[in-house]
Amino acid sequence: MQHISHVQQIELKHNNLVEQLAREAVVPTEWAPPLVGPAFAYRRRTRVAVRYDAQHKHVQVGFRGLASKAIVEVQSCVILSSELQPLFAGLAALLNSFQQPHVLGHIELFSG
């Protein structure tokens, strides 16, 4: 949801909750204000897609495209926690140095 503003993300999530509760015949008479965290650097876990491109002798590192096995290569991710951002940034170089990078399919990073 990074393509919409933080305020819009909160509204969308609230509307989604309202719809889900309505499906179960739960209609609150009053809502508490939403719990809101930071807009960036909040994610403490991610699964990173990895694929070795034999033609270019290069490890692709990124995230899978929507409903696809294609990898969208990225060098940084602003929603990752500050502890994970440096690890993510150096991941492609590290994996390219491996003797058998073609055996990798994904890497999971987590903090905390």
Side-chain angles (χ1 to χ4, degrees), residues 54-86:
Q55 182 179 0
H56 296 100
K57 298 190 185 316
H58 163 77
V59 176
Q60 296 175 313
V61 176
F63 297 104
R64 300 234 181 253
L66 183 63
S68 169
K69 290 187 177 186
I71 295 176
V72 178
E73 288 189 82
V74 294
Q75 282 73 42
S76 65
C77 180
V78 296
I79 65 170
L80 286 179
S81 69
S82 58
E83 295 88 5
L84 293 179
Q85 287 185 20

Side-chain angles (χ1 to χ4, degrees), residues 5-23:
S5 74
H6 192 237
V7 170
Q8 288 174 312
Q9 290 178 39
I10 294 165
E11 289 174 5
L12 184 64
K13 290 174 185 177
H14 173 77
N15 293 339
N16 190 355
L17 177 61
V18 169
E19 285 178 27
Q20 289 179 16
L21 290 174
R23 279 188 227 128

